[in-house]
Amino acid sequence: MTAAASHADDTPGKYSTGLDGDYRPLDRAELAVDAATAARALLGAIIVRADGHCRRAARIVETEAYAGPEDRASHARAGRTARTAAMFGPPGHAYVYLVYGIHHCLNVVCDVDGRAGAVLVRAAEPLAGLACMRARRGAAGGTDERLAAGPARTCQALDVDRELDGIDLLTDPRLQLLRDRDWPSPTGMILRGPRIGVTYAGPDWASLAWRFGVADSPALSRPFPVESRAATPSSERLA
DNA sequence: ATTAAGATTGGCT
DNA sequence: GCCAATCTTAATA
């Protein structure tokens, strides 16, 4: 891509807000709830990443809930450790970790201070700063709408790594969570299904329908099971 | 001190 | 669909 094109939507000032909708900071109390409730509530929220060069924004369209030490799929299962300290802290902070020695994943800490809980951001739809996202994603970037179609892809597109672990997503200018007043909760159909890649946790925890998605989004990390289509999520456990 | 496994992705058959 | 990449973490000795 040309230099002109790569900066076409990153002109300083053009995205001084990065957004042209009606946004406000996310309410911390909204996140002081159990992980599954928070995961559903975060669908439709906006995440804004700002650094010295770029301002990028994306709408969260897919999430997964991870509970405390009792949840055998959660990193909190080992109790409070150096890595998972943020999960046990106050809601609204970031928990960022490295998987497979290669990829980063971003979580929004939820539940009350002292109780572990986090929501993995599994996919987001790019809204602004697309050229910055594409530059970071490299050759395998894919289409614009799928630049952040996966948990590690989201961190790549938004340039999120462990430097941001533990920061307050409601006050830190580097990474912020916003609520779209025009989309207080997803208006379309919500999908829910089992969490991805947690078979190691055993059937009791792996079968929980703690993965949530916006049905009509082109940015989902992968399809949901067909039976997961329900306007109002009803069944906690599938199969 | 050693080691097995991982909340993923992209490339290849 | 299969598999390697790459390194931190947490459990075991």
Side-chain angles (χ1 to χ4, degrees):
Chain A
M1 98 176 42
T2 69
S6 71
H7 290 288
D9 61 351
D10 302 316
T11 306
K14 181 174 181 184
Y15 289 107
S16 55
T17 67
L19 314 157
D20 51 8
D22 184 7
Y23 303 101
R24 64 161 174 83
L26 204 73
D27 187 8
R28 200 181 303 278
E30 204 176 339
L31 297 172
V33 296
D34 67 274
T37 302
R40 190 187 181 290
L42 280 169
L43 291 179
I46 309 295
I47 188 146
V48 179
R49 169 71 167 125
D51 59 25
H53 307 287
C54 300
R55 193 173 206 95
R56 314 161 167 95
R59 183 187 306 279
I60 295 171
V61 294
E62 185 182 331
T63 57
E64 267 175 9
Y66 288 88
E70 72 281 6
D71 179 1
R72 300 312 292 164
S74 173
H75 288 170
R77 66 187 181 276
R80 184 181 186 135
T81 67
R83 177 175 64 148
T84 62
M87 278 190 76
F88 290 78
H93 287 235
Y95 166 48
V96 183
Y97 68 92
L98 184 66
V99 257
Y100 298 106
I102 301 174
H103 301 296
H104 293 275
C105 290
L106 169 68
N107 293 256
V108 177
V109 173
C110 61
D111 220 316
V112 298
D113 192 3
R115 248 185 102 99
V119 175
L120 173 68
V121 178
R122 280 198 58 89
E125 283 182 20
L127 299 176
L130 286 264
C132 277
M133 295 186 191
R134 182 165 293 286
R136 205 98 211 327
R137 286 276 296 128
T143 62
D144 283 356
E145 61 189 13
R146 294 191 57 79
L147 279 169
R153 291 174 175 185
T154 298
C155 283
Q156 268 183 26
L158 296 178
D159 195 15
V160 169
D161 63 21
R162 281 176 297 176
E163 265 189 34
L164 301 180
D165 182 45
I167 68 169
D168 187 350
L169 297 174
L170 305 187
T171 62
D172 196 298
R174 293 171 292 176
L175 192 61
Q176 275 200 284
L177 272 176
L178 303 177
R179 176 64 74 199
D180 184 345
R181 289 184 196 274
D182 298 325
W183 194 2
S185 65
T187 50
M189 196 180 285
I190 305 259
L191 305 176
R192 65 181 298 178
R195 293 177 289 183
I196 302 297
V198 298
T199 51
Y200 61 83
D204 281 3
W205 292 98
S207 64
L208 289 173
W210 279 5
R211 175 185 176 218
F212 299 85
V214 175
D216 56 8
S217 174
L220 296 179
S221 65
R222 60 175 88 181
F224 277 73
V226 280
E227 71 272 15
S228 66
R229 295 179 172 272
T232 303
S234 47
S235 59
E236 174 86 347
R237 195 178 296 274
L238 302 172

